[in-house]
Amino acid sequence: MTQPYPILESDPALAAVIEPSREIEPRDVPEHCVICFFREVLDRVIAGHSARIVAENYWEDGRHDLYEIEHHGRRLAFFHPGVGAPLAAGLLEEVIAFGCRKFVVCGGAGVLRRDIAVGHLIVVMAAVRDEGVSYHYLPPGREVAADPRGVAALEAALQQRGVPYLTGKTWTTDAPYRETRAMVEQRQAEGCITVEMEAAALLAVAQYRGALLGQVLYGGDDLSGEAWDNRGWQSRTEIREHLFWLAADACLEL
């Protein structure tokens, strides 16, 4: 198993020393769950839709509780996954152990094509594995593909609403402050149209645990040019809230 680099030393053994299914008691939770990166949107959903906590969850950075609401007469869970692949993957592991099995992720991403406007939606088809978490779940490889069922559910929800969108490959990185011009150009050359910090890890965990997961991103800051352009992407409140509810609808179709 020893390799020149520790990240390549994947162990196919199913059981880990800390195995979520052994350590976490299953709860009465919905099968369907939205993973949403927009804290302000979740605060409004919690306050305005009689959300209840179905699983309290404490990490060193604070609470990441699992909530439930009724949506279209059905049970729907949701939670905030933190930021970055390790935390997001760890929380997904725990929520799967609680009992959720079908997920749609909604978040923002930097764009690697200037023609992708702020707020334009991108359904993730695959993620380049330039992070560390996915290598602990899948054999070493360049990309992880999205589950076609998750892609289909998101595309159906978008088409039903007449919302324009793209499908494409995202670049998942652990180091947003090391996105050099050469690295950006390399990722563009291999077909990446967005960059973010969690997709490859979330897709890998879901695949490893036999869960179903799709992800939709909205175009945020622009890294395609010589200089970074923030484009005020985090202030697009209406886009972010609409995206949560679109993810909720798509999730219930899984």
Side-chain angles (χ1 to χ4, degrees):
M1 189 169 68
T2 302
Q3 298 289 332
Y5 306 104
I7 197 66
L8 302 179
E9 294 173 351
S10 59
D11 182 357
L14 288 177
V17 175
I18 306 173
E19 190 61 32
S21 62
R22 290 199 305 256
E23 304 298 327
I24 294 174
E25 196 74 29
R27 315 287 175 86
D28 176 19
V29 300
E31 180 183 29
H32 297 86
C33 181
V34 172
I35 302 173
C36 178
F37 284 89
F38 311 139
R39 176 71 69 183
E40 80 287 356
V41 172
L42 294 185
D43 287 343
R44 286 196 293 275
V45 173
I46 291 165
H49 292 82
S50 302
R52 68 184 188 94
I53 297 173
V54 289
E56 294 184 347
N57 205 357
Y58 297 87
W59 280 59
E60 284 298 323
D61 69 324
R63 296 180 62 156
H64 293 271
D65 296 330
L66 182 66
Y67 289 87
E68 177 183 344
I69 58 172
E70 183 179 296
H71 185 53
H72 297 319
R74 299 170 64 186
R75 300 178 69 192
L76 178 72
F78 62 89
F79 71 97
H80 191 292
V83 174
L87 179 55
L91 287 163
L92 176 57
E93 279 271 33
E94 294 180 350
V95 172
I96 291 172
F98 288 142
C100 298
R101 301 299 301 172
K102 299 176 180 179
F103 300 88
V104 168
V105 185
C106 59
V111 301
L112 303 182
R113 276 177 31 187
R114 186 163 296 174
D115 64 315
I116 301 177
V118 177
H120 199 88
L121 301 186
I122 302 100
V123 176
V124 174
M125 300 292 289
V128 170
R129 298 167 61 187
D130 191 17
E131 39 66 62
V133 173
S134 66
Y135 293 85
H136 298 276
Y137 289 87
L138 303 176
R142 189 155 195 88
E143 299 178 8
V144 55
D147 190 311
R149 296 169 295 174
V151 173
L154 282 164
E155 289 197 278
L158 288 159
Q159 290 167 10
Q160 184 179 11
R161 291 158 182 76
V163 177
Y165 68 95
L166 298 170
T167 60
K169 186 187 304 182
T170 189
W171 164 27
T172 305
T173 177
D174 283 334
Y177 294 117
R178 290 300 301 149
E179 295 165 343
T180 65
R181 179 52 43 204
M183 289 298 299
V184 168
E185 290 173 356
Q186 181 176 326
R187 298 292 177 254
Q188 290 170 323
E190 63 183 300
C192 293
I193 61 174
T194 58
V195 57
E196 39 62 52
M197 298 176 64
E198 300 87 11
L202 294 172
L203 291 170
V205 171
Q207 187 179 128
Y208 184 81
R209 295 296 181 190
L212 201 168
L213 184 142
Q215 183 159 3
V216 59
L217 304 165
Y218 84 94
D221 52 324
D222 182 5
L223 289 89
S224 65
E226 286 301 314
W228 173 60
D229 185 354
N230 180 274
R231 305 200 297 184
W233 73 278
Q234 290 175 312
S235 65
R236 308 304 172 103
T237 303
E238 186 177 359
I239 293 170
R240 292 154 77 93
E241 188 154 0
H242 283 318
L243 189 52
F244 173 87
W245 294 113
L246 184 143
D249 289 349
C251 189
L252 290 179
E253 294 303 316
L254 294 176

